[in-house]
Short mmCIF file of all heavy atoms in Angstrom, two decimals:
data_model
loop_
_atom_site.label_atom_id
_atom_site.label_comp_id
_atom_site.label_asym_id
_atom_site.label_seq_id
_atom_site.Cartn_x
_atom_site.Cartn_y
_atom_site.Cartn_z
N MET A 1035 11.10 180.41 -102.18
CA MET A 1035 12.22 180.28 -103.10
C MET A 1035 11.75 179.71 -104.44
O MET A 1035 12.15 180.21 -105.48
CB MET A 1035 13.27 179.38 -102.45
CG MET A 1035 14.44 179.08 -103.32
SD MET A 1035 15.56 180.46 -103.26
CE MET A 1035 16.85 179.86 -104.28
N LYS A 1036 10.89 178.70 -104.38
CA LYS A 1036 10.42 178.08 -105.61
C LYS A 1036 9.54 179.05 -106.40
O LYS A 1036 9.61 179.11 -107.63
CB LYS A 1036 9.67 176.80 -105.28
CG LYS A 1036 9.36 175.98 -106.50
CD LYS A 1036 8.89 174.62 -106.12
CE LYS A 1036 8.74 173.82 -107.39
NZ LYS A 1036 8.73 172.41 -107.18
N LYS A 1037 8.72 179.86 -105.69
CA LYS A 1037 7.85 180.83 -106.36
C LYS A 1037 8.70 181.90 -107.04
O LYS A 1037 8.41 182.32 -108.17
CB LYS A 1037 6.90 181.46 -105.35
CG LYS A 1037 5.91 182.41 -106.00
CD LYS A 1037 4.99 182.99 -104.95
CE LYS A 1037 3.95 183.93 -105.47
NZ LYS A 1037 4.23 184.71 -106.60
N THR A 1038 9.77 182.34 -106.41
CA THR A 1038 10.65 183.34 -107.00
C THR A 1038 11.31 182.80 -108.26
O THR A 1038 11.41 183.50 -109.28
CB THR A 1038 11.73 183.76 -105.98
OG1 THR A 1038 11.10 184.18 -104.78
CG2 THR A 1038 12.58 184.88 -106.53
N LEU A 1039 11.76 181.56 -108.22
CA LEU A 1039 12.38 180.93 -109.39
C LEU A 1039 11.36 180.80 -110.53
O LEU A 1039 11.68 181.07 -111.70
CB LEU A 1039 12.95 179.56 -109.01
CG LEU A 1039 13.79 178.86 -110.07
CD1 LEU A 1039 15.00 179.70 -110.44
CD2 LEU A 1039 14.21 177.50 -109.56
N LEU A 1040 10.14 180.40 -110.19
CA LEU A 1040 9.09 180.26 -111.20
C LEU A 1040 8.74 181.62 -111.80
O LEU A 1040 8.57 181.74 -113.03
CB LEU A 1040 7.84 179.61 -110.57
CG LEU A 1040 6.72 179.27 -111.53
CD1 LEU A 1040 7.19 178.25 -112.56
CD2 LEU A 1040 5.54 178.72 -110.75
N ASP A 1041 8.68 182.65 -110.96
CA ASP A 1041 8.40 183.99 -111.48
C ASP A 1041 9.53 184.47 -112.39
O ASP A 1041 9.28 185.15 -113.40
CB ASP A 1041 8.23 184.98 -110.32
CG ASP A 1041 6.91 184.80 -109.59
OD1 ASP A 1041 6.01 184.15 -110.16
OD2 ASP A 1041 6.79 185.30 -108.45
N GLY A 1042 10.75 184.13 -112.08
CA GLY A 1042 11.88 184.50 -112.93
C GLY A 1042 11.79 183.84 -114.29
O GLY A 1042 12.05 184.48 -115.32
N TRP A 1043 11.45 182.56 -114.33
CA TRP A 1043 11.31 181.86 -115.62
C TRP A 1043 10.15 182.42 -116.44
O TRP A 1043 10.25 182.56 -117.65
CB TRP A 1043 11.12 180.35 -115.41
CG TRP A 1043 12.40 179.66 -115.09
CD1 TRP A 1043 12.78 179.14 -113.90
CD2 TRP A 1043 13.50 179.45 -115.98
NE1 TRP A 1043 14.03 178.62 -113.98
CE2 TRP A 1043 14.51 178.79 -115.26
CE3 TRP A 1043 13.73 179.75 -117.31
CZ2 TRP A 1043 15.72 178.43 -115.82
CZ3 TRP A 1043 14.94 179.39 -117.87
CH2 TRP A 1043 15.92 178.75 -117.14
N LYS A 1044 9.05 182.78 -115.75
CA LYS A 1044 7.91 183.38 -116.46
C LYS A 1044 8.31 184.72 -117.05
O LYS A 1044 7.93 185.05 -118.18
CB LYS A 1044 6.72 183.55 -115.52
CG LYS A 1044 5.99 182.27 -115.22
CD LYS A 1044 4.79 182.54 -114.33
CE LYS A 1044 4.06 181.26 -113.99
NZ LYS A 1044 2.92 181.51 -113.10
N SER A 1045 9.06 185.49 -116.28
CA SER A 1045 9.51 186.79 -116.76
C SER A 1045 10.44 186.62 -117.96
O SER A 1045 10.34 187.36 -118.95
CB SER A 1045 10.22 187.54 -115.64
OG SER A 1045 10.71 188.77 -116.09
N LEU A 1046 11.35 185.66 -117.89
CA LEU A 1046 12.26 185.40 -119.01
C LEU A 1046 11.48 184.96 -120.24
O LEU A 1046 11.77 185.39 -121.36
CB LEU A 1046 13.29 184.34 -118.62
CG LEU A 1046 14.29 183.97 -119.70
CD1 LEU A 1046 15.17 185.17 -120.05
CD2 LEU A 1046 15.13 182.79 -119.27
N LEU A 1047 10.48 184.12 -120.06
CA LEU A 1047 9.66 183.67 -121.18
C LEU A 1047 8.91 184.84 -121.82
O LEU A 1047 8.85 184.94 -123.05
CB LEU A 1047 8.68 182.60 -120.72
CG LEU A 1047 7.80 181.99 -121.80
CD1 LEU A 1047 8.65 181.26 -122.82
CD2 LEU A 1047 6.79 181.06 -121.19
N ARG A 1048 8.38 185.74 -121.00
CA ARG A 1048 7.69 186.92 -121.55
C ARG A 1048 8.66 187.80 -122.32
O ARG A 1048 8.33 188.33 -123.38
CB ARG A 1048 7.03 187.72 -120.43
CG ARG A 1048 5.74 187.15 -119.95
CD ARG A 1048 4.96 188.16 -119.13
NE ARG A 1048 5.78 188.77 -118.10
CZ ARG A 1048 5.62 188.59 -116.79
NH1 ARG A 1048 4.65 187.83 -116.34
NH2 ARG A 1048 6.41 189.19 -115.94
N LEU A 1049 9.88 187.96 -121.80
CA LEU A 1049 10.89 188.76 -122.49
C LEU A 1049 11.25 188.14 -123.83
O LEU A 1049 11.31 188.83 -124.85
CB LEU A 1049 12.14 188.90 -121.62
CG LEU A 1049 13.33 189.60 -122.29
CD1 LEU A 1049 13.00 191.06 -122.57
CD2 LEU A 1049 14.56 189.48 -121.42
N LEU A 1050 11.48 186.84 -123.86
CA LEU A 1050 11.83 186.16 -125.11
C LEU A 1050 10.69 186.23 -126.12
O LEU A 1050 10.90 186.41 -127.32
CB LEU A 1050 12.23 184.72 -124.85
CG LEU A 1050 13.56 184.54 -124.11
CD1 LEU A 1050 13.79 183.07 -123.80
CD2 LEU A 1050 14.70 185.13 -124.91
N ARG A 1051 9.45 186.08 -125.64
CA ARG A 1051 8.29 186.18 -126.53
C ARG A 1051 8.19 187.59 -127.12
O ARG A 1051 7.95 187.77 -128.31
CB ARG A 1051 7.03 185.81 -125.76
CG ARG A 1051 5.82 185.69 -126.64
CD ARG A 1051 4.62 185.14 -125.90
NE ARG A 1051 4.36 185.86 -124.66
CZ ARG A 1051 4.02 185.28 -123.52
NH1 ARG A 1051 3.88 183.98 -123.45
NH2 ARG A 1051 3.80 185.99 -122.45
N PHE A 1052 8.42 188.62 -126.28
CA PHE A 1052 8.38 190.00 -126.76
C PHE A 1052 9.47 190.23 -127.81
O PHE A 1052 9.22 190.82 -128.86
CB PHE A 1052 8.56 190.98 -125.60
CG PHE A 1052 8.80 192.39 -126.05
CD1 PHE A 1052 7.76 193.16 -126.53
CD2 PHE A 1052 10.06 192.94 -126.01
CE1 PHE A 1052 7.97 194.45 -126.96
CE2 PHE A 1052 10.29 194.22 -126.44
CZ PHE A 1052 9.24 194.99 -126.91
N VAL A 1053 10.70 189.77 -127.53
CA VAL A 1053 11.80 189.96 -128.47
C VAL A 1053 11.51 189.25 -129.78
O VAL A 1053 11.79 189.78 -130.87
CB VAL A 1053 13.13 189.49 -127.84
CG1 VAL A 1053 14.23 189.41 -128.88
CG2 VAL A 1053 13.53 190.40 -126.71
N PHE A 1054 10.93 188.07 -129.72
CA PHE A 1054 10.59 187.34 -130.95
C PHE A 1054 9.58 188.12 -131.77
O PHE A 1054 9.77 188.35 -132.97
CB PHE A 1054 10.03 185.95 -130.61
CG PHE A 1054 9.47 185.25 -131.81
CD1 PHE A 1054 10.30 184.68 -132.75
CD2 PHE A 1054 8.09 185.19 -132.00
CE1 PHE A 1054 9.77 184.06 -133.87
CE2 PHE A 1054 7.55 184.57 -133.11
CZ PHE A 1054 8.40 184.00 -134.05
N TRP A 1055 8.47 188.54 -131.16
CA TRP A 1055 7.42 189.24 -131.92
C TRP A 1055 7.89 190.61 -132.40
O TRP A 1055 7.53 191.06 -133.49
CB TRP A 1055 6.14 189.36 -131.11
CG TRP A 1055 5.43 188.06 -131.02
CD1 TRP A 1055 5.23 187.29 -129.93
CD2 TRP A 1055 4.83 187.32 -132.11
NE1 TRP A 1055 4.55 186.14 -130.25
CE2 TRP A 1055 4.29 186.14 -131.59
CE3 TRP A 1055 4.71 187.57 -133.48
CZ2 TRP A 1055 3.64 185.21 -132.39
CZ3 TRP A 1055 4.06 186.63 -134.26
CH2 TRP A 1055 3.54 185.47 -133.72
N TYR A 1056 8.70 191.29 -131.58
CA TYR A 1056 9.23 192.59 -132.01
C TYR A 1056 10.16 192.40 -133.21
O TYR A 1056 10.07 193.14 -134.19
CB TYR A 1056 9.98 193.25 -130.84
CG TYR A 1056 10.47 194.62 -131.15
CD1 TYR A 1056 9.62 195.71 -131.12
CD2 TYR A 1056 11.80 194.84 -131.47
CE1 TYR A 1056 10.07 196.98 -131.40
CE2 TYR A 1056 12.27 196.11 -131.76
CZ TYR A 1056 11.40 197.17 -131.72
OH TYR A 1056 11.85 198.44 -132.01
N GLY A 1057 11.04 191.43 -133.14
CA GLY A 1057 11.93 191.15 -134.26
C GLY A 1057 11.17 190.74 -135.50
O GLY A 1057 11.51 191.14 -136.61
N PHE A 1058 10.13 189.94 -135.32
CA PHE A 1058 9.29 189.52 -136.44
C PHE A 1058 8.62 190.73 -137.09
O PHE A 1058 8.62 190.85 -138.33
CB PHE A 1058 8.24 188.51 -135.96
CG PHE A 1058 7.35 188.00 -137.04
CD1 PHE A 1058 7.81 187.08 -137.95
CD2 PHE A 1058 6.04 188.44 -137.14
CE1 PHE A 1058 6.99 186.60 -138.96
CE2 PHE A 1058 5.21 187.98 -138.13
CZ PHE A 1058 5.68 187.06 -139.05
N ALA A 1059 8.09 191.63 -136.27
CA ALA A 1059 7.42 192.82 -136.81
C ALA A 1059 8.40 193.72 -137.55
O ALA A 1059 8.10 194.24 -138.63
CB ALA A 1059 6.74 193.59 -135.68
N VAL A 1060 9.60 193.89 -137.00
CA VAL A 1060 10.60 194.72 -137.67
C VAL A 1060 11.03 194.08 -139.00
O VAL A 1060 11.16 194.77 -140.01
CB VAL A 1060 11.82 194.94 -136.74
CG1 VAL A 1060 12.99 195.54 -137.50
CG2 VAL A 1060 11.43 195.84 -135.58
N ALA A 1061 11.22 192.78 -139.00
CA ALA A 1061 11.60 192.09 -140.24
C ALA A 1061 10.51 192.23 -141.30
O ALA A 1061 10.81 192.47 -142.48
CB ALA A 1061 11.89 190.63 -139.95
N VAL A 1062 9.27 192.07 -140.90
CA VAL A 1062 8.16 192.21 -141.85
C VAL A 1062 8.13 193.62 -142.41
O VAL A 1062 7.96 193.82 -143.62
CB VAL A 1062 6.82 191.83 -141.17
CG1 VAL A 1062 5.64 192.30 -141.99
CG2 VAL A 1062 6.75 190.33 -140.96
N LEU A 1063 8.31 194.62 -141.54
CA LEU A 1063 8.31 196.00 -142.02
C LEU A 1063 9.47 196.27 -142.97
O LEU A 1063 9.32 196.96 -143.97
CB LEU A 1063 8.37 196.97 -140.84
CG LEU A 1063 7.08 197.12 -140.05
CD1 LEU A 1063 7.31 198.03 -138.85
CD2 LEU A 1063 5.98 197.69 -140.92
N LEU A 1064 10.63 195.70 -142.67
CA LEU A 1064 11.79 195.93 -143.52
C LEU A 1064 11.62 195.27 -144.89
O LEU A 1064 12.24 195.70 -145.87
CB LEU A 1064 13.06 195.43 -142.86
CG LEU A 1064 13.56 196.28 -141.69
CD1 LEU A 1064 14.77 195.64 -141.05
CD2 LEU A 1064 13.87 197.69 -142.12
N TYR A 1065 10.82 194.23 -144.97
CA TYR A 1065 10.60 193.58 -146.26
C TYR A 1065 9.36 194.11 -146.98
O TYR A 1065 9.34 194.21 -148.20
CB TYR A 1065 10.47 192.06 -146.09
CG TYR A 1065 11.80 191.40 -145.82
CD1 TYR A 1065 12.08 190.84 -144.59
CD2 TYR A 1065 12.78 191.35 -146.80
CE1 TYR A 1065 13.31 190.24 -144.34
CE2 TYR A 1065 14.01 190.76 -146.57
CZ TYR A 1065 14.26 190.21 -145.33
OH TYR A 1065 15.48 189.63 -145.08
N LEU A 1066 8.32 194.46 -146.22
CA LEU A 1066 7.08 194.91 -146.86
C LEU A 1066 7.09 196.37 -147.27
O LEU A 1066 6.52 196.73 -148.29
CB LEU A 1066 5.89 194.64 -145.94
CG LEU A 1066 5.47 193.19 -145.78
CD1 LEU A 1066 4.25 193.09 -144.90
CD2 LEU A 1066 5.20 192.55 -147.13
N LEU A 1067 7.71 197.23 -146.47
CA LEU A 1067 7.71 198.65 -146.82
C LEU A 1067 8.42 198.95 -148.14
O LEU A 1067 7.89 199.71 -148.95
CB LEU A 1067 8.30 199.48 -145.68
CG LEU A 1067 7.39 199.66 -144.47
CD1 LEU A 1067 8.09 200.49 -143.40
CD2 LEU A 1067 6.09 200.32 -144.85
N PRO A 1068 9.59 198.37 -148.40
CA PRO A 1068 10.18 198.61 -149.73
C PRO A 1068 9.34 198.06 -150.88
O PRO A 1068 9.24 198.69 -151.93
CB PRO A 1068 11.53 197.89 -149.66
CG PRO A 1068 11.86 197.83 -148.21
CD PRO A 1068 10.54 197.68 -147.52
N ALA A 1069 8.70 196.92 -150.67
CA ALA A 1069 7.84 196.37 -151.72
C ALA A 1069 6.65 197.29 -151.97
O ALA A 1069 6.28 197.53 -153.13
CB ALA A 1069 7.37 194.98 -151.33
N ALA A 1070 6.07 197.81 -150.90
CA ALA A 1070 4.94 198.74 -151.06
C ALA A 1070 5.42 200.03 -151.73
O ALA A 1070 4.70 200.61 -152.56
CB ALA A 1070 4.31 199.04 -149.70
N GLY A 1071 6.61 200.49 -151.39
CA GLY A 1071 7.16 201.69 -152.02
C GLY A 1071 7.38 201.49 -153.51
O GLY A 1071 7.10 202.39 -154.31
N LEU A 1072 7.88 200.33 -153.89
CA LEU A 1072 8.06 200.05 -155.32
C LEU A 1072 6.73 200.02 -156.06
O LEU A 1072 6.61 200.52 -157.19
CB LEU A 1072 8.79 198.73 -155.51
CG LEU A 1072 10.28 198.74 -155.21
CD1 LEU A 1072 10.86 197.32 -155.30
CD2 LEU A 1072 11.00 199.67 -156.16
N LEU A 1073 5.73 199.43 -155.43
CA LEU A 1073 4.40 199.38 -156.06
C LEU A 1073 3.83 200.78 -156.24
O LEU A 1073 3.30 201.12 -157.31
CB LEU A 1073 3.46 198.52 -155.21
CG LEU A 1073 2.07 198.30 -155.77
CD1 LEU A 1073 2.14 197.43 -157.01
CD2 LEU A 1073 1.18 197.66 -154.73
N LEU A 1074 3.95 201.61 -155.19
CA LEU A 1074 3.46 202.99 -155.31
C LEU A 1074 4.25 203.77 -156.36
O LEU A 1074 3.68 204.57 -157.12
CB LEU A 1074 3.56 203.69 -153.96
CG LEU A 1074 2.51 203.31 -152.93
CD1 LEU A 1074 2.82 203.95 -151.59
CD2 LEU A 1074 1.13 203.72 -153.41
N GLU A 1075 5.55 203.54 -156.43
CA GLU A 1075 6.37 204.22 -157.42
C GLU A 1075 5.95 203.83 -158.83
O GLU A 1075 5.86 204.69 -159.73
CB GLU A 1075 7.84 203.89 -157.20
CG GLU A 1075 8.76 204.58 -158.17
CD GLU A 1075 10.20 204.17 -157.99
OE1 GLU A 1075 10.46 203.18 -157.28
OE2 GLU A 1075 11.06 204.84 -158.58
N GLN A 1076 5.67 202.57 -159.06
CA GLN A 1076 5.25 202.12 -160.39
C GLN A 1076 3.92 202.75 -160.78
O GLN A 1076 3.73 203.19 -161.92
CB GLN A 1076 5.13 200.60 -160.42
CG GLN A 1076 6.45 199.90 -160.38
CD GLN A 1076 6.29 198.39 -160.21
OE1 GLN A 1076 5.19 197.89 -160.06
NE2 GLN A 1076 7.42 197.69 -160.23
N HIS A 1077 2.98 202.81 -159.81
CA HIS A 1077 1.69 203.43 -160.12
C HIS A 1077 1.84 204.93 -160.36
O HIS A 1077 1.17 205.51 -161.22
CB HIS A 1077 0.70 203.17 -158.99
CG HIS A 1077 0.11 201.80 -159.03
ND1 HIS A 1077 0.84 200.66 -158.84
CD2 HIS A 1077 -1.17 201.38 -159.26
CE1 HIS A 1077 0.07 199.61 -158.93
NE2 HIS A 1077 -1.15 200.01 -159.19
N TYR A 1078 2.72 205.57 -159.58
CA TYR A 1078 2.93 207.00 -159.75
C TYR A 1078 3.57 207.31 -161.09
O TYR A 1078 3.18 208.26 -161.78
CB TYR A 1078 3.79 207.55 -158.61
CG TYR A 1078 4.06 209.02 -158.71
CD1 TYR A 1078 3.08 209.94 -158.38
CD2 TYR A 1078 5.30 209.50 -159.14
CE1 TYR A 1078 3.31 211.30 -158.47
CE2 TYR A 1078 5.54 210.85 -159.25
CZ TYR A 1078 4.55 211.75 -158.90
OH TYR A 1078 4.78 213.09 -159.01
N GLU A 1079 4.54 206.50 -161.49
CA GLU A 1079 5.21 206.72 -162.77
C GLU A 1079 4.27 206.50 -163.95
O GLU A 1079 4.48 207.05 -165.03
CB GLU A 1079 6.43 205.82 -162.90
CG GLU A 1079 7.56 206.16 -161.94
CD GLU A 1079 8.17 207.52 -162.21
OE1 GLU A 1079 8.19 207.95 -163.37
OE2 GLU A 1079 8.61 208.15 -161.23
N ALA A 1080 3.24 205.69 -163.76
CA ALA A 1080 2.29 205.43 -164.84
C ALA A 1080 1.29 206.57 -165.04
O ALA A 1080 0.59 206.61 -166.05
CB ALA A 1080 1.54 204.12 -164.57
N LEU A 1081 1.23 207.51 -164.10
CA LEU A 1081 0.29 208.62 -164.21
C LEU A 1081 0.79 209.63 -165.24
O LEU A 1081 1.98 209.75 -165.50
CB LEU A 1081 0.14 209.32 -162.86
CG LEU A 1081 -0.49 208.52 -161.73
CD1 LEU A 1081 -0.43 209.33 -160.45
CD2 LEU A 1081 -1.92 208.13 -162.05
N SER A 1082 -0.15 210.40 -165.78
CA SER A 1082 0.24 211.46 -166.70
C SER A 1082 0.81 212.64 -165.90
O SER A 1082 0.64 212.74 -164.70
CB SER A 1082 -0.97 211.92 -167.53
OG SER A 1082 -1.88 212.60 -166.70
N SER A 1083 1.48 213.54 -166.60
CA SER A 1083 2.12 214.67 -165.91
C SER A 1083 1.08 215.61 -165.29
O SER A 1083 1.33 216.20 -164.24
CB SER A 1083 3.02 215.44 -166.87
OG SER A 1083 2.27 215.93 -167.95
N THR A 1084 -0.08 215.74 -165.89
CA THR A 1084 -1.13 216.60 -165.35
C THR A 1084 -1.65 216.04 -164.02
O THR A 1084 -1.82 216.79 -163.05
CB THR A 1084 -2.30 216.74 -166.35
OG1 THR A 1084 -1.79 217.19 -167.60
CG2 THR A 1084 -3.34 217.72 -165.85
N VAL A 1085 -1.87 214.74 -163.99
CA VAL A 1085 -2.35 214.11 -162.76
C VAL A 1085 -1.28 214.21 -161.67
O VAL A 1085 -1.59 214.46 -160.50
CB VAL A 1085 -2.76 212.65 -163.02
CG1 VAL A 1085 -3.13 211.94 -161.74
CG2 VAL A 1085 -3.91 212.60 -164.01
N LYS A 1086 -0.02 214.03 -162.04
CA LYS A 1086 1.08 214.17 -161.08
C LYS A 1086 1.11 215.59 -160.50
O LYS A 1086 1.27 215.78 -159.30
CB LYS A 1086 2.43 213.87 -161.73
CG LYS A 1086 2.67 212.43 -162.01
CD LYS A 1086 4.06 212.27 -162.64
CE LYS A 1086 4.32 210.88 -163.12
NZ LYS A 1086 5.64 210.74 -163.75
N PHE A 1087 0.96 216.58 -161.37
CA PHE A 1087 0.97 217.97 -160.92
C PHE A 1087 -0.14 218.23 -159.92
O PHE A 1087 0.09 218.82 -158.87
CB PHE A 1087 0.84 218.91 -162.13
CG PHE A 1087 0.69 220.35 -161.75
CD1 PHE A 1087 1.77 221.06 -161.28
CD2 PHE A 1087 -0.54 220.98 -161.86
CE1 PHE A 1087 1.64 222.39 -160.93
CE2 PHE A 1087 -0.69 222.31 -161.51
CZ PHE A 1087 0.41 223.03 -161.04
N PHE A 1088 -1.35 217.78 -160.23
CA PHE A 1088 -2.46 218.03 -159.32
C PHE A 1088 -2.34 217.19 -158.04
O PHE A 1088 -2.80 217.60 -156.98
CB PHE A 1088 -3.81 217.79 -160.01
CG PHE A 1088 -4.20 218.93 -160.90
CD1 PHE A 1088 -4.26 218.77 -162.27
CD2 PHE A 1088 -4.48 220.17 -160.38
CE1 PHE A 1088 -4.60 219.82 -163.10
CE2 PHE A 1088 -4.83 221.24 -161.18
CZ PHE A 1088 -4.89 221.06 -162.56
N ALA A 1089 -1.72 216.03 -158.11
CA ALA A 1089 -1.49 215.23 -156.91
C ALA A 1089 -0.53 215.94 -155.97
O ALA A 1089 -0.77 216.02 -154.75
CB ALA A 1089 -0.95 213.85 -157.28
N VAL A 1090 0.55 216.49 -156.51
CA VAL A 1090 1.51 217.23 -155.69
C VAL A 1090 0.88 218.51 -155.17
O VAL A 1090 1.06 218.89 -154.01
CB VAL A 1090 2.80 217.51 -156.49
CG1 VAL A 1090 3.72 218.45 -155.74
CG2 VAL A 1090 3.51 216.21 -156.80
N LEU A 1091 0.11 219.18 -156.02
CA LEU A 1091 -0.58 220.39 -155.59
C LEU A 1091 -1.57 220.09 -154.46
O LEU A 1091 -1.66 220.84 -153.49
CB LEU A 1091 -1.31 221.01 -156.80
CG LEU A 1091 -1.81 222.43 -156.64
CD1 LEU A 1091 -0.64 223.37 -156.48
CD2 LEU A 1091 -2.63 222.81 -157.86
N GLY A 1092 -2.30 218.98 -154.57
CA GLY A 1092 -3.21 218.59 -153.50
C GLY A 1092 -2.48 218.25 -152.21
O GLY A 1092 -2.94 218.59 -151.12
N LEU A 1093 -1.32 217.60 -152.33
CA LEU A 1093 -0.52 217.29 -151.14
C LEU A 1093 -0.07 218.58 -150.46
O LEU A 1093 -0.17 218.71 -149.23
CB LEU A 1093 0.69 216.44 -151.53
CG LEU A 1093 1.65 216.10 -150.41
CD1 LEU A 1093 0.97 215.19 -149.38
CD2 LEU A 1093 2.89 215.45 -150.95
N PHE A 1094 0.41 219.55 -151.23
CA PHE A 1094 0.82 220.83 -150.66
C PHE A 1094 -0.36 221.56 -150.05
O PHE A 1094 -0.22 222.23 -149.02
CB PHE A 1094 1.51 221.69 -151.70
CG PHE A 1094 2.90 221.24 -152.04
CD1 PHE A 1094 3.42 221.45 -153.31
CD2 PHE A 1094 3.70 220.59 -151.11
CE1 PHE A 1094 4.70 221.04 -153.63
CE2 PHE A 1094 4.98 220.18 -151.41
CZ PHE A 1094 5.48 220.41 -152.68
N ALA A 1095 -1.54 221.47 -150.66
CA ALA A 1095 -2.72 222.11 -150.10
C ALA A 1095 -3.10 221.48 -148.76
O ALA A 1095 -3.47 222.20 -147.81
CB ALA A 1095 -3.89 222.01 -151.08
N LEU A 1096 -3.00 220.16 -148.66
CA LEU A 1096 -3.28 219.50 -147.38
C LEU A 1096 -2.29 219.90 -146.29
O LEU A 1096 -2.67 220.17 -145.15
CB LEU A 1096 -3.25 217.98 -147.56
CG LEU A 1096 -4.46 217.34 -148.21
CD1 LEU A 1096 -4.20 215.86 -148.47
CD2 LEU A 1096 -5.67 217.50 -147.31
N ILE A 1097 -1.02 219.98 -146.66
CA ILE A 1097 0.01 220.39 -145.69
C ILE A 1097 -0.23 221.84 -145.26
O ILE A 1097 -0.14 222.16 -144.06
CB ILE A 1097 1.42 220.21 -146.29
CG1 ILE A 1097 1.71 218.73 -146.48
CG2 ILE A 1097 2.47 220.86 -145.41
CD1 ILE A 1097 2.97 218.45 -147.28
N GLY A 1098 -0.55 222.69 -146.19
CA GLY A 1098 -0.85 224.09 -145.85
C GLY A 1098 -2.06 224.23 -144.96
O GLY A 1098 -2.05 224.99 -143.98
N ALA A 1099 -3.13 223.47 -145.25
CA ALA A 1099 -4.32 223.52 -144.41
C ALA A 1099 -4.03 223.00 -143.01
O ALA A 1099 -4.50 223.57 -142.01
CB ALA A 1099 -5.44 222.70 -145.06
N TRP A 1100 -3.22 221.96 -142.93
CA TRP A 1100 -2.84 221.42 -141.63
C TRP A 1100 -2.06 222.46 -140.82
O TRP A 1100 -2.29 222.63 -139.62
CB TRP A 1100 -2.03 220.15 -141.85
CG TRP A 1100 -1.52 219.48 -140.62
CD1 TRP A 1100 -2.12 219.44 -139.40
CD2 TRP A 1100 -0.31 218.74 -140.48
NE1 TRP A 1100 -1.37 218.72 -138.52
CE2 TRP A 1100 -0.24 218.28 -139.16
CE3 TRP A 1100 0.71 218.43 -141.36
CZ2 TRP A 1100 0.82 217.52 -138.70
CZ3 TRP A 1100 1.76 217.66 -140.90
CH2 TRP A 1100 1.81 217.22 -139.58
N GLN A 1101 -1.14 223.17 -141.46
CA GLN A 1101 -0.37 224.20 -140.77
C GLN A 1101 -1.25 225.35 -140.32
O GLN A 1101 -1.11 225.84 -139.20
CB GLN A 1101 0.75 224.72 -141.69
CG GLN A 1101 1.87 223.75 -141.89
CD GLN A 1101 2.59 223.44 -140.61
OE1 GLN A 1101 2.84 224.31 -139.79
NE2 GLN A 1101 2.93 222.18 -140.42
N VAL A 1102 -2.17 225.78 -141.16
CA VAL A 1102 -3.07 226.87 -140.80
C VAL A 1102 -3.92 226.47 -139.60
O VAL A 1102 -4.09 227.24 -138.66
CB VAL A 1102 -3.94 227.29 -142.00
CG1 VAL A 1102 -5.08 228.19 -141.56
CG2 VAL A 1102 -3.08 227.97 -143.06
N LEU A 1103 -4.45 225.26 -139.62
CA LEU A 1103 -5.27 224.79 -138.50
C LEU A 1103 -4.47 224.64 -137.22
O LEU A 1103 -4.96 224.97 -136.14
CB LEU A 1103 -5.95 223.46 -138.86
CG LEU A 1103 -7.07 223.55 -139.89
CD1 LEU A 1103 -7.57 222.15 -140.25
CD2 LEU A 1103 -8.21 224.39 -139.37
N SER A 1104 -3.23 224.18 -137.33
CA SER A 1104 -2.43 224.03 -136.11
C SER A 1104 -2.04 225.39 -135.55
O SER A 1104 -1.97 225.57 -134.34
CB SER A 1104 -1.19 223.19 -136.38
OG SER A 1104 -0.25 223.89 -137.15
N ILE A 1105 -1.78 226.38 -136.41
CA ILE A 1105 -1.47 227.73 -135.92
C ILE A 1105 -2.71 228.34 -135.28
O ILE A 1105 -2.62 229.00 -134.24
CB ILE A 1105 -0.94 228.60 -137.07
CG1 ILE A 1105 0.46 228.14 -137.48
CG2 ILE A 1105 -0.92 230.07 -136.70
CD1 ILE A 1105 0.99 228.81 -138.74
N ARG A 1106 -3.87 228.13 -135.87
CA ARG A 1106 -5.11 228.69 -135.32
C ARG A 1106 -5.46 228.06 -133.97
O ARG A 1106 -5.98 228.73 -133.09
CB ARG A 1106 -6.26 228.47 -136.30
CG ARG A 1106 -7.48 229.26 -135.89
CD ARG A 1106 -8.69 229.07 -136.74
NE ARG A 1106 -8.43 228.77 -138.14
CZ ARG A 1106 -9.33 228.24 -138.95
NH1 ARG A 1106 -10.53 227.96 -138.49
NH2 ARG A 1106 -9.06 228.01 -140.21
N ASP A 1107 -5.16 226.77 -133.80
CA ASP A 1107 -5.46 226.10 -132.54
C ASP A 1107 -4.55 226.53 -131.41
O ASP A 1107 -4.90 226.40 -130.25
CB ASP A 1107 -5.36 224.58 -132.72
CG ASP A 1107 -6.50 224.02 -133.53
OD1 ASP A 1107 -7.52 224.72 -133.67
OD2 ASP A 1107 -6.37 222.88 -134.03
N ARG A 1108 -3.36 227.04 -131.72
CA ARG A 1108 -2.42 227.47 -130.68
C ARG A 1108 -2.84 228.78 -130.04
O ARG A 1108 -2.43 229.09 -128.95
CB ARG A 1108 -1.02 227.65 -131.27
CG ARG A 1108 -0.32 226.36 -131.47
CD ARG A 1108 1.12 226.61 -131.85
NE ARG A 1108 1.41 225.86 -133.05
CZ ARG A 1108 2.36 226.10 -133.91
NH1 ARG A 1108 3.16 227.12 -133.71
NH2 ARG A 1108 2.54 225.36 -134.97
N ARG A 1109 -3.64 229.55 -130.71
CA ARG A 1109 -4.04 230.87 -130.17
C ARG A 1109 -5.17 230.76 -129.21
O ARG A 1109 -5.89 229.98 -128.94
CB ARG A 1109 -4.45 231.79 -131.30
CG ARG A 1109 -3.26 232.16 -132.15
CD ARG A 1109 -3.66 233.08 -133.23
NE ARG A 1109 -2.51 233.29 -134.11
CZ ARG A 1109 -2.52 234.12 -135.10
NH1 ARG A 1109 -3.58 234.81 -135.39
NH2 ARG A 1109 -1.47 234.27 -135.84
#
């Protein structure tokens, strides 16, 4: 009986520890991701239009290459 009670308290402690760290991680992500997005937006807006064009073109080229490779791997 005492071992079962002790195991229950250990299980509850593990659950509370998990909930704490999970909540902490979610809170950090909710605060850090918008800050990182603002920083990236500021750097992107500071680029010239030619660099922006080639950045978007490079992104589309990567997406296209990824799609071609995934279609080729399915066959």
